[in-house]
Amino acid sequence: MQDAVVAVSTLDGTHKETVQQVDVAVVGAGFAGLYLLYRLRKAGFTTVTLEEADDVGGTWYWNRYPGARCDIQTIDYGFTFDPELEGAWRWSEKYATQPEILRYLGFVADRYDLRRDIRFRTKVTAAIWDQAKQRWLLATDNGASVSCRHYIMATGCLSSPKPPEIDGVKNFKGEVYFTGRWPHEEVKLAGKRVAVIGTGSSGIQSIPLIAEQAAELAVFQRTPNFALPAHNGPVPGDRKALLDNDRTGYREQARWSLAGVPYPQQTVVSWQLSDAERRERFEKAWDAGDLVYILTQLWADQAVDVDGNALLAELFRDKIRAAVKDPETAEALTPYDHPFGAKRPCLDTNYYATFNRPNVTLVNLRQEPIEAITTSGIKTGKRTFDVDVIVFATGFDAMTGAIMAVHPITGRGGKSLSEVWANGPQTYLGLTVAGFPNLFMITGPGSPSVLSNMAVSIEQHVDWVVDRLTAMREAGFATIEATEAAQAGWARHMADCSMLTLHRLANTWYTGANVPGKAQGVMPYTGGVGPYRSICNEVVDRGMLGFMLSGPSVAEQCNDGEIVRLQPDVRLVLNMLAEMKLPPIESFGFQGARDFVAQFNASRPAGRPVGEIVDGSLPGPDGALSYRLYRPATPGPHPIVVYFHGGGWVLGDEQSDDPFCRDMCRRTGMIFVSVGYRHAPEYRFPAAAEDGYAATRWIAEHTAELGGQPGPVLVAGWSAGGNIAAVTCQLARDRGGPKIAGQLLVCPVTDCRFDRPSYNDNAAGYFLTRSLMYWFWDLYCSPADRTDPRVSPLRGKLAGLPPAFVVTCEFDPLRDEGNAYAEALTAAGVPVEQLQARGHFHSSFTMVDMVITSVSGRVQMAEALRRFAGLPPQATGGDEARRGQLASHKLAAAAG
Ligand code: NA7
């Protein structure tokens, strides 16, 4: 290391001091820092790691409190970059203790001789980017400053403990400990009166052990948490067998999974299971004592849907009630304020049973908040607790604390990171920040980090960063910086992802809510480890999209843009379809295409239950038409919505949009009658239009018989069905009824012009292609008829039509004609509301089971239909979606 230390002038040039010159400086010698050092050295970069502690370990160095363990199973929680390392280390337990993990990290440091490049007991006190030299200068509190081309923060997500935030701590005459800074020497608690404040993972792990030692223990709980028994013991045989049978495959599956642990995506939804089946699944998870399993494997909607989650949370609550004898204590320990998994659940050993001990008292701070800490103990609103020891298990300034609060970081043009992040962290990929060239964060905010197996995420980040530095060096680039556009796009994508899960619905350290005054928004990436990895790879494949690269003797490169413009789940669906390498649907022929659609629909989970489903037939203009009626579970009579399915006038039937009809029936509280109109090419224009009108007329005349509310009906339709709904409104106006109270047009076909930009921009790649639309048109309608308003309603007279809600999707060939129809209706004096769905594709709203981010759109559609029908807003779904939007918009707003 000495070789690299040279005398240079400081930034202001006034005096000389010793500065250590390296290619790359790393801060932190935990999991991330150690692997960085290994990779950087191997890649031939001169490197130094600065570490505040006097040994390696990071989080596992500091968190030495009694009971500290990892809560990812040890076979999944370790380095995988070197099979020989994997072979050389054996974990003793399913969940390793802190000392064992620390030993492991020491073993890794020794094995690769990493310590020689680590400066221990050295804190960075400031970091400044020198634009002229294109280097970072790091000041330290111990020894030489460091000048480096690249600065990588491997500072961990949970390494900056939160201050106590309670008055009077300094007055307390007894012992004070923080779980996140537990002393190295033994802490003797035997015979003492102890208070523990905080019931997150650290509290829940330590409380049972402290209770065994202390004479008395008072646990001060602000928010109860869900805790699953760890059932610690040997590494489970089934998981180990999976790993041993195919180590490479097992690790690879972890890398592409959602949480970084190799579990498949659960596909069975809660409503497909009986109460007994759900309980059976839950009991299995409870007995397995595996946090990732219970968080992901019970049913597909457990983490994405409030109702699906509530079923699981209630089973959990039953367990707490059964474990704790005193009903009042049990009730206080039972969480109601957040969905299961939205706040970090804990893994425990005897936690709930500890409250049955005579020496343990639970103090419910919701009923008696702490007023102050006194010289002798803790005073609440109701009583005083005299104690000898106070343990603060109050958590961390998570995700951003160690990056931002620990030392000032000054980027290009004197920009301070604290100022740039004042409204919340802004990053590109969670790895870089615009305005801070050559600065990288490992598992920074905006990456999956704490919502994943950290070991897997760390390896992915480190590999990506070191590979980029290597590629830059080979190409002659000296600096790399994220662009503002890419970063703003990432913030939008983050906000979109935050709609996928329920994390936005809880006040947690994930959202910054645990630190008073901290900007709030979901900080970790909720889109999953595998999707995140594919996005990082795509950035590279697309020529370092969103990065500016420059070097002394090469031309500057900036391939600007947003890496993900699709909604995250739409991206997954389209990728999945692309992987299927399907031939164009039109190449199947019309019967083959119908069979394909039927097969595709049959493979999807059934939609949610509604009150009743009735199949029937009604008289059409040329024979009977079948219909399917969806009735809400609420008492009727209900207003009726006549619905027309999608399928280009060629495909589908009255059952093919079943999940959408069920969902809308539930959300609107209205009857949906899906009409099986005749299809082309057997029945060409105007058969579908005339069937639509005739069916609407018949339904309006038979509302009472169908159990509907007397009065006007409503119409709705998707795609070609949207076309039929729009046409039906025009025909009803012109042919003397029936009266229609409102029209919902979802991605409707409205015109026969193919020259609007969306037909080109979205011609291919978004499932509904331009050529498929051409095929539909050819099968349904000859060119001479295409300007007839019964197929191109945009060409008809628009005044006097019922109020409309028009939905268009950004990545849909039909987008612009839908927007044109909305504009034309407005111009004709028709009340119009519009949803222009960003990042969505033609099928987003009907793929109810797969496109979670379309929920809020359907909530808006349902609210519109209720308004048209003169009903008050529905409280449930709407509220949930609105809350979600608010939380995610905080991040998007911060991006703006
Ligand atoms: P956590 O999970 O943030 O838990 C901190 C606990 O301390 C939590 O119960 C807090 O209640 C409570 N707390 C925080 N501040 C106060 C004040 N001022 N008064 C009373 N109670 C307070 O931190 P941990 O160290 O347990 O775990 C962090 C992560 O490490 C964990 O999630 C795993 O990923 C590993 P609150 O819930 O905020 O009401």
Side-chain angles (χ1 to χ4, degrees):
M1 194 193 301
Q2 283 307 314
D3 294 349
V5 177
V6 292
V8 295
S9 9
T10 51
L11 273 181
D12 60 9
T14 50
H15 64 280
K16 297 202 170 217
E17 69 166 7
T18 305
V19 174
Q20 183 179 4
Q21 302 275 343
V22 288
D23 296 328
V24 188
V26 173
V27 179
F31 259 100
L34 291 178
Y35 183 45
L36 264 170
L37 196 46
Y38 169 85
R39 280 283 337 253
L40 287 165
R41 202 191 265 171
K42 255 191 130 168
F45 291 101
T46 57
T47 308
V48 66
T49 294
L50 305 167
E51 168 57 60
E52 187 183 349
D54 59 14
D55 201 356
V56 299
T59 287
W60 298 107
Y61 173 93
W62 297 107
N63 284 274
R64 296 165 182 255
Y65 59 84
R69 283 179 194 271
C70 65
D71 40 24
I72 295 279
Q73 294 195 20
T74 44
I75 58 165
D76 298 307
Y77 191 71
F79 291 118
T80 64
F81 62 86
D82 179 355
E84 283 183 19
L85 170 64
E86 287 201 61
W89 182 265
R90 279 282 165 272
W91 293 105
S92 66
E93 287 180 286
K94 175 178 166 189
Y95 295 109
T97 57
Q98 173 270 336
E100 187 174 14
I101 301 171
L102 196 57
R103 271 201 307 283
Y104 170 73
L105 292 170
F107 172 79
V108 171
D110 292 340
R111 187 176 174 92
Y112 303 105
D113 187 21
L114 299 176
R115 284 194 173 86
R116 70 180 151 91
D117 283 327
I118 304 177
R119 283 170 55 185
F120 291 108
R121 289 175 290 278
T122 306
K123 215 170 146 173
V124 178
T125 52
I128 300 176
W129 172 250
D130 181 340
Q131 182 66 22
K133 292 192 180 125
Q134 306 211 309
R135 293 178 76 84
W136 283 95
L137 183 65
L138 313 183
T140 75
D141 69 346
N142 181 12
S145 303
V146 176
S147 165
C148 54
R149 176 73 69 205
H150 298 281
Y151 177 30
I152 309 182
M153 304 201 67
T155 37
C157 298
L158 294 158
S159 25
S160 183
K162 227 167 54 111
E165 300 153 5
I166 300 170
D167 288 344
V169 180
K170 288 207 174 78
N171 304 335
F172 181 61
K173 294 272 189 278
E175 301 159 56
V176 173
Y177 301 104
F178 288 82
T179 48
R181 290 287 181 270
W182 199 259
H184 289 207
E185 57 281 4
E186 191 195 350
V187 175
K188 295 200 169 87
L189 298 173
K192 294 182 181 164
R193 297 163 305 168
V194 181
V196 174
I197 303 177
T199 52
S201 286
S202 307
I204 284 176
Q205 286 185 335
S206 58
I207 283 164
L209 295 176
I210 294 175
E212 281 173 16
Q213 298 173 47
E216 287 169 30
L217 169 63
V219 176
F220 292 77
Q221 172 196 270
R222 190 161 67 182
T223 313
N225 223 331
F226 292 100
L228 176 76
H231 300 305
N232 202 14
V235 173
D238 55 342
R239 302 300 299 168
K240 190 165 175 315
L242 280 177
L243 177 66
D244 290 344
N245 289 343
D246 177 10
R247 185 170 292 267
T248 313
Y250 183 95
R251 296 296 186 216
E252 202 54 15
Q253 198 191 338
R255 291 182 188 120
W256 291 99
S257 66
L258 282 182
V261 175
Y263 282 122
Q265 173 82 48
Q266 183 53 253
T267 52
V268 176
V269 281
S270 60
W271 60 88
Q272 288 177 296
L273 301 166
S274 66
D275 287 352
E277 286 166 331
R278 281 196 297 268
R279 185 170 284 280
E280 192 186 325
R281 284 179 177 228
F282 175 77
E283 293 292 345
K284 185 177 164 209
W286 187 266
D287 292 343
D290 178 343
L291 214 44
V292 179
Y293 185 91
I294 203 168
L295 279 165
T296 61
Q297 297 298 301
L298 296 200
W299 39 87
D301 50 320
Q302 68 176 80
V304 297
D305 178 80
V306 174
D307 295 337
N309 188 280
L311 293 164
L312 165 53
E314 197 44 37
L315 289 166
F316 221 114
R317 292 185 192 113
D318 284 348
K319 288 287 187 189
I320 301 172
R321 291 175 196 124
V324 182
K325 289 190 185 135
D326 173 45
E328 200 183 323
T329 307
E331 190 57 14
L333 285 166
T334 306
Y336 294 99
D337 76 324
H338 62 275
F340 172 73
K343 188 180 182 114
R344 177 66 149 74
C346 307
L347 206 58
D348 78 279
T349 302
N350 289 333
Y351 177 64
Y352 292 115
T354 295
F355 292 91
N356 297 331
R357 294 175 67 105
N359 67 333
V360 177
T361 308
L362 180 72
V363 184
N364 182 350
L365 298 181
R366 297 284 177 209
Q367 288 175 358
E368 47 176 319
I370 296 177
E371 286 185 348
I373 293 183
T374 64
T375 50
S376 60
I378 299 175
K379 185 174 169 344
T380 71
K382 287 188 183 161
R383 8 176 206 173
T384 300
F385 293 83
D386 286 336
V387 292
D388 306 306
V389 179
I390 300 178
V391 174
F392 285 94
T394 41
F396 300 87
D397 181 356
M399 314 275 319
T400 54
I403 298 172
M404 187 163 66
V406 174
H407 61 264
I409 301 178
T410 311
R412 197 164 38 77
K415 266 189 192 174
S416 132
L417 188 66
S418 315
E419 280 165 26
V420 171
W421 282 9
N423 294 324
Q426 299 300 316
T427 70
Y428 184 37
L429 306 170
L431 279 160
T432 57
V433 187
F436 295 80
N438 293 8
L439 171 71
F440 293 93
M441 297 163 297
I442 303 301
T443 65
S447 77
S449 60
V450 291
L451 292 181
S452 70
N453 175 357
M454 286 296 255
V456 169
S457 285
I458 284 169
E459 284 194 337
Q460 185 269 341
H461 266 194
V462 170
D463 288 339
W464 195 91
V465 171
V466 179
D467 290 347
R468 301 292 62 75
L469 297 189
T470 310
M472 279 173 66
R473 184 179 56 191
E474 280 162 14
F477 291 118
T479 69
I480 175 169
E481 185 185 336
T483 68
E484 294 285 353
Q487 183 164 287
W490 192 249
R492 268 189 296 278
H493 177 57
M494 285 281 292
D496 292 341
C497 285
S498 78
M499 297 302 287
L500 285 179
T501 67
L502 302 177
H503 292 100
R504 65 189 187 278
L505 302 181
N507 293 323
T508 64
W509 58 259
Y510 294 143
T511 65
N514 68 327
V515 177
K518 187 166 173 172
Q520 287 190 43
V522 180
M523 290 186 286
Y525 179 78
T526 51
V529 166
Y532 175 82
R533 177 182 294 268
S534 80
I535 290 168
C536 290
N537 293 350
E538 194 182 323
V539 166
V540 180
D541 295 344
R542 291 171 66 184
M544 292 303 284
L545 186 78
F547 283 106
M548 213 150 29
L549 299 159
S550 70
S553 48
V554 284
E556 192 172 279
Q557 175 193 315
C558 183
N559 199 1
D560 206 358
E562 263 176 73
I563 183 65
V564 187
R565 290 179 56 210
L566 292 167
Q567 290 293 327
D569 39 9
V570 170
R571 179 177 177 272
L572 292 184
V573 168
L574 289 173
N575 284 349
M576 195 186 74
L577 289 167
E579 272 168 28
M580 288 163 77
K581 296 199 182 357
L582 294 169
I585 291 177
E586 57 274 29
S587 70
F588 296 144
F590 68 88
Q591 195 48 53
R594 284 176 192 163
D595 295 344
F596 168 77
V597 169
Q599 207 184 342
F600 184 77
N601 285 341
S603 69
R604 291 162 61 187
R608 282 179 180 276
V610 294
E612 186 189 24
I613 293 181
V614 183
D615 289 328
S617 69
L618 54 85
D622 190 19
L625 303 175
S626 35
Y627 69 79
R628 173 165 276 203
L629 181 147
Y630 300 84
R631 195 186 311 285
T634 51
H638 309 91
I640 296 185
V641 181
V642 184
Y643 178 76
F644 303 106
H645 65 83
W649 308 285
V650 175
L651 312 175
D653 56 32
E654 75 281 2
Q655 300 185 23
S656 54
D657 292 347
D658 187 79
F660 180 76
C661 290
R662 287 170 183 256
D663 191 78
M664 291 301 289
C665 167
R666 289 167 62 96
R667 288 183 194 283
T668 55
M670 297 183 192
I671 292 173
F672 265 62
V673 182
S674 175
V675 176
Y677 53 87
R678 284 173 296 164
H679 288 152
E682 296 92 331
Y683 301 97
R684 287 168 59 86
F685 172 82
E690 292 298 340
D691 284 1
Y693 171 67
T696 306
R697 177 161 214 138
W698 185 88
I699 291 166
E701 285 164 0
H702 295 81
T703 48
E705 203 175 299
L706 296 170
Q709 192 173 291
V713 293
L714 301 99
V715 293
W718 166 55
S719 193
N723 173 271
I724 296 169
V727 169
T728 295
C729 291
Q730 295 191 11
L731 296 179
R733 177 200 56 197
D734 299 340
R735 296 181 184 177
K739 210 164 169 349
I740 295 176
Q743 47 181 328
L744 167 65
L745 311 179
V746 185
C747 307
V749 182
T750 69
D751 196 14
C752 53
R753 257 177 62 189
F754 306 116
D755 58 352
R756 294 188 176 90
S758 60
Y759 247 95
N760 273 325
D761 299 348
N762 307 318
Y766 303 106
F767 200 52
L768 177 65
T769 60
R770 181 171 59 189
S771 68
L772 183 58
M773 276 311 299
Y774 288 165
W775 186 67
F776 285 146
W777 272 100
D778 288 344
L779 288 179
Y780 180 54
C781 191
S782 53
D785 291 329
R786 289 186 186 179
T787 53
D788 188 315
R790 284 177 299 167
V791 71
S792 291
L794 185 56
R795 311 224 169 194
K797 183 184 141 212
L798 302 180
L801 291 175
F805 191 87
V806 183
V807 180
T808 52
C809 290
E810 186 181 3
F811 295 97
D812 181 0
L814 305 183
R815 178 193 68 206
D816 293 344
E817 66 193 74
N819 288 338
Y821 197 60
E823 275 168 36
L825 286 173
T826 308
V830 177
V832 176
E833 294 170 53
Q834 246 191 298
L835 167 61
Q836 297 186 357
R838 184 178 53 76
H840 281 287
F841 79 134
H842 187 69
S843 305
S844 278
F845 292 101
T846 47
M847 277 198 165
V848 172
D849 47 318
M850 297 179 93
V851 182
I852 309 293
T853 53
S854 67
V855 169
S856 67
R858 283 194 305 280
V859 169
Q860 291 177 55
M861 294 178 208
E863 285 179 354
L865 286 175
R866 286 181 69 85
R867 268 195 305 280
F868 296 156
L871 299 178
Q874 193 104 296
T876 52
D879 275 2
E880 194 280 314
R882 264 195 302 273
R883 275 176 70 191
Q885 272 173 344
L886 285 178
S888 63
H889 283 178
K890 282 180 202 159
L891 273 173

